[in-house]
Amino acid sequence: MLKILFLIHDLAQGGAEKVLVNLVNNMDRTKFDITLMALFDGGINRQFLRNDITYKAVFSKAIRGNSHIMKLFSPMALHRWFIKEHFDIEVSYLEGPCARIISGCPDANTKLACWIHIEQHTRSRAAASFRSVKEAMNCYNRFHRIVCVSETVKSDFKSILPIDCPAEVLYNTNESKKILDLSKEPLDGVNFRENEINLVGVGKLLTSKGFERVIKITEQLLKDGYPVHTYILGIGPEEANLKRSVKKRKIENHVDFLGYQTNPYKYVAKCDLFVCASHAEGFSTAATEALILGVPVCTVEVSGMKEMLGENNEYGIVTANNDGALYEGIKRLISEPGLLEKYRQQAILRGKTFSMEHTVAAVENMLLSL
């Protein structure tokens, strides 16, 4: 049995945190003895971790400016302080500080892997948690495998940091059966009206997630006579600003903020269309879950979306990354007869590609190959 460590910043609300918990919960316990370590304790996704996973936290809560403080110390010093036992494989499940720490492993017999979740576009951004671009390249070159969540993330990473470490694409793990089962639970106090077209967006309420765009588009669709109702699931620092925007536009009766839901699937499954307006993504967990639920997806072009939905919109609609293009994509889907139903069937078909068994097996095989 291989003793394996996964290191992540925390288990707060977020796609990477969620899919890591999904992954470790479903890995083969006869092959892997798993420890999940968070730099900072707590987080919404902590509650979903199975009891037979060893969980550790370095600090009890987040430290302001932690990535800058950590740069005062070498990767080897950080590794020595934080990771006090031997593992056969150590995995950094996020780029940045986690990668820097794991790269400091002094044991030549330990294999190292690193997950890259987002496009970083520039060397300076990719090296932001390191002392320099040179240190970033040296650290990433210490890994035996780089894992990217999409082909676009892989292409981006290899173009800005040309390192020697082999890189491959492994898709995120979603608990597809659990998602479908949870989607059948009764709703709590939310009434979906048959005479409305229900749009939904899911994610942390950050500027980068583009929910302000969704609100603007909702207003325009209503002005143009389309009976839409938008549901936003998530919490985050932009929540107050987004609610003010809804009030300013006088569309409070057409936009509901449902907050963070431990079971978002029962709400998403009732909606007619999943909308992604993000300015940046890695490989959208929320969009993947919508496909598993058979909900059509309309998204701006960000990392992984054409990979997910097809170069020619075979499984969903991908538009240019601007408000006007996304508006036109949504309008076409809800106004063209039969189109939404077509993409509902295509969503069901595509969702089967992201089955839990397939994605977990791919990760296990990669780890065993190390």
Side-chain angles (χ1 to χ4, degrees), residues 286-340:
T288 309
E289 291 171 343
L291 294 177
I292 291 169
L293 292 167
V295 177
V297 174
C298 186
T299 175
V300 293
E301 185 175 358
V302 284
S303 173
M305 287 303 191
K306 285 195 172 181
E307 205 171 323
M308 186 187 300
L309 301 175
E311 287 292 330
N312 299 300
N313 293 337
E314 291 92 338
Y315 302 104
I317 297 291
V318 182
T319 76
N321 199 332
N322 62 69
D323 298 9
L326 181 59
Y327 168 80
E328 291 297 332
I330 295 171
K331 185 174 76 168
R332 181 187 166 212
L333 274 164
I334 65 177
S335 62
E336 191 172 312
L339 194 60
L340 209 53

Side-chain angles (χ1 to χ4, degrees), residues 138-152:
N138 288 340
C139 287
Y140 281 119
N141 265 322
R142 296 211 67 236
F143 287 90
H144 299 93
R145 194 66 51 87
I146 299 289
V147 177
C148 301
V149 298
S150 71
E151 291 291 347
T152 46

Side-chain angles (χ1 to χ4, degrees), residues 22-85:
N22 291 343
L23 172 63
V24 298
N25 278 350
N26 291 285
M27 288 175 64
D28 189 339
R29 298 302 191 278
T30 67
K31 297 177 182 176
F32 302 98
D33 175 8
I34 302 167
T35 297
L36 191 156
M37 179 182 288
L39 292 179
F40 305 103
D41 196 13
I44 286 168
N45 280 293
R46 169 73 178 88
Q47 64 187 301
F48 303 118
L49 196 65
R50 277 178 45 169
N51 292 331
D52 58 353
I53 302 293
T54 301
Y55 173 77
K56 297 182 178 181
V58 179
F59 300 103
S60 60
K61 61 181 180 179
I63 300 169
R64 189 176 178 86
N66 61 81
S67 63
H68 297 292
I69 294 170
M70 281 191 262
K71 280 192 277 188
L72 298 173
F73 306 96
S74 70
M76 191 169 289
L78 293 170
H79 190 281
R80 184 170 65 251
W81 293 336
F82 297 164
I83 301 169
K84 303 183 186 300
E85 58 186 294

Side-chain angles (χ1 to χ4, degrees), residues 209-228:
K209 293 297 184 180
F211 286 110
E212 176 64 25
R213 303 162 106 178
V214 177
I215 290 168
K216 289 179 183 177
I217 288 169
T218 300
E219 179 188 33
Q220 188 60 52
L221 288 167
L222 289 166
K223 285 180 178 178
D224 292 345
Y226 297 100
V228 295

Side-chain angles (χ1 to χ4, degrees), residues 110-125:
T110 299
K111 301 300 182 182
L112 309 180
C114 178
W115 255 253
I116 308 293
H117 286 268
I118 59 170
E119 288 181 287
Q120 297 171 92
H121 300 301
T122 66
R123 284 192 173 193
S124 60
R125 186 177 177 191

